[in-house]
Amino acid sequence: MNAIKHSFFVICCIAICVFFAVSLHAAQLPKVVIVTTGGTIAEKTDPKTGGAVPAVSGKDLIEAVPGLAKVADIEVVNFSNIDSSQMTPKIWAKLSKVVDDRLADPKVKGAVVTHGTDTMAEGAYFLELTLKSDKPVVFVGAMRDASDVSPDGPANILNAVIQACSDEARGWGVTVTLNEYINSARNVRKTNSTNVQTFDSGEKGYLGYIVMGKVIRYNEAPSRQKLSIPKRLPKVVLLETFAGDDGSLVRFAADQGAKGIVIVGVGAGNVNAQVYEALKYAMKKGVAVVVTTRVYYSGVWPMYGDQGGGETLEKSGAILGGDLTGAKARILLMLALAQEKSKRGQLKQYFKRRSG
Ligand code: ASP
């Protein structure tokens, strides 16, 4: 009996020691909050339809990442589980507050947001513009769903957590990190609808790279701007012009009460004469107009002086959107309109070209 009591006592001691060792180890690990929102990374192929659908919880996502518990003490926040085609600026406003709340905790070193790749560039940019915290926030996702032969999600999550804890990643603000490449939220674009190497920042280049568990720093973050999240986001529409466009959609948007119109022009930011007239009609109604371009590099310049050229558009009161994509210019215009309700003249400064 004593022998049994003795070995039971020994086993208990060992168990207690192991427990303390594990919690001590976890306590010494940096704390990272993973906020899950959905996307392919949390989707599985529905055997009935053959299409990918939301299917994986935050807990399952984390448990599928080997070695994660050795890198950081992870806290999971299940924010949503939607395909990012269903995301809205209103949801991003809520997400920004949730992430800021968790980053306000001094124990938390950084955050990772799992998100669908379709609208990840805009979602990341929304948080880049609105987060108060300066701690690293890493947007991550996957191009292959969780039931794929070789899902890219787990490796992307591990790298994102490594980045969120790394001092090398300080001062980059919000980034989009997939397939080991780190992009700034401002310059990143999705460039391939199926391949794992889909995100890049074009002529601005990557911020860094992750290899063998280490963050390699290439570039500093583009200069940053911060705007507060308004109670209500104004209605801003995004329209892409095309050869033969008669401007009717611009007039319709203005008549439907849009507070802002982002027009994706051609070349260095040009539209045809009919669209130019329609934009002037909208501006006369008090609608703010921002011009971007469908062209990948260099962006918009006041280079052309005919009816609808960038120079005439700017002279008529339209704002040239620099090298922002149409979708990001829409986000910036929504937030800027809410800041500058009355002072329209102030809007232009938000779109001024910045370094990086
Ligand atoms: N449709 C998916 C999404 O954006 C694509 C992905 O995550 O790769 O949510």
Side-chain angles (χ1 to χ4, degrees):
M1 187 56 176
N2 283 351
I4 295 172
K5 268 196 191 147
H6 178 69
S7 40
F8 176 70
F9 175 72
V10 171
I11 292 167
C12 284
C13 290
I14 295 168
I16 292 165
C17 293
V18 169
F19 170 76
F20 276 112
V22 169
S23 20
L24 193 64
H25 176 64
Q28 276 152 357
L29 286 175
K31 180 159 186 167
V32 171
V33 176
I34 299 188
V35 182
T36 61
T37 73
T40 300
I41 196 168
E43 293 178 4
K44 284 190 173 172
T45 303
D46 178 341
K48 285 197 237 59
T49 63
V53 290
V56 185
S57 71
K59 185 168 165 294
D60 297 340
L61 260 185
I62 306 314
E63 278 168 7
V65 185
L68 190 60
K70 291 199 194 84
V71 176
D73 171 19
I74 301 290
E75 173 196 321
V76 177
V77 176
N78 285 298
F79 177 83
S80 64
N81 196 351
I82 59 173
D83 192 277
S84 76
S85 48
Q86 313 299 332
M87 274 289 174
T88 67
K90 213 169 164 191
I91 300 174
W92 286 322
K94 282 201 197 104
L95 177 64
S96 187
K97 290 182 182 144
V98 166
V99 172
D100 246 341
D101 285 355
R102 293 308 302 116
L103 291 177
D105 175 345
K107 291 198 295 303
V108 173
K109 184 120 191 216
V112 168
V113 175
T114 61
H115 193 287
T117 61
D118 291 352
T119 61
M120 187 185 287
E122 296 94 279
Y125 188 52
F126 191 103
L127 268 74
E128 166 58 25
L129 292 173
T130 56
L131 281 175
K132 296 189 182 70
S133 171
D134 199 33
K135 292 179 180 176
V137 174
V138 186
F139 269 64
V140 67
M143 294 301 290
R144 299 182 189 137
D145 73 45
S147 55
D148 195 285
V149 176
S150 67
D152 51 331
N156 286 343
I157 290 176
L158 184 61
N159 282 332
V161 171
I162 288 167
Q163 184 191 330
C165 320
S166 150
D167 293 333
E168 266 310 297
R170 299 274 127 198
W172 275 339
V174 178
T175 66
V176 167
T177 302
L178 264 84
N179 211 35
E180 287 115 32
Y181 281 106
I182 304 170
N183 293 276
S184 75
R186 189 188 181 289
N187 296 329
V188 70
R189 293 183 192 215
K190 184 175 182 178
T191 64
N192 188 308
S193 62
T194 56
N195 188 278
V196 294
Q197 184 40 40
T198 183
F199 284 108
D200 78 25
S201 297
E203 59 196 344
K204 299 294 174 65
Y206 298 113
L207 292 179
Y209 188 63
I210 302 173
V211 59
M212 298 179 68
K214 293 240 170 323
V215 172
I216 314 299
R217 204 175 174 92
Y218 289 166
N219 285 308
E220 296 311 311
S223 63
R224 307 176 59 195
Q225 56 193 141
K226 288 291 174 188
L227 297 91
S228 57
I229 300 176
K231 284 202 182 57
R232 271 176 66 79
L233 286 161
K235 180 177 176 176
V236 174
V237 299
L238 173 63
L239 297 171
E240 176 155 344
T241 194
F242 48 89
D245 186 347
D246 63 4
S248 54
L249 292 176
V250 168
R251 291 175 192 278
F252 178 76
D255 295 343
Q256 290 299 307
K259 299 287 180 245
I261 294 174
V262 174
I263 187 86
V264 180
V266 293
N270 308 315
V271 298
N272 67 22
Q274 289 87 343
V275 176
Y276 175 51
E277 290 310 319
L279 291 170
K280 285 199 289 181
Y281 167 83
M283 286 188 273
K284 238 203 209 112
K285 290 180 80 112
V287 179
V289 169
V290 172
V291 183
T292 65
T293 176
R294 64 183 185 181
V295 178
Y296 204 30
Y297 291 161
S298 181
V300 170
W301 300 93
M303 206 176 258
Y304 290 87
D306 57 351
Q307 294 302 291
E311 193 243 351
T312 42
L313 281 165
E314 192 172 42
K315 281 217 175 91
S316 66
I319 298 165
L320 301 189
D323 59 359
L324 278 176
T325 62
K328 289 182 186 173
R330 175 177 171 256
I331 293 200
L332 182 54
L333 184 55
M334 288 175 103
L335 293 167
L337 273 169
Q339 323 287 311
E340 308 291 346
K341 284 196 179 55
S342 53
K343 306 188 277 322
R344 278 303 164 85
Q346 301 297 320
L347 286 177
K348 203 172 171 184
Q349 49 141 353
Y350 291 93
F351 292 88
K352 232 175 47 224
R353 275 183 182 268
R354 299 158 178 271
S355 62

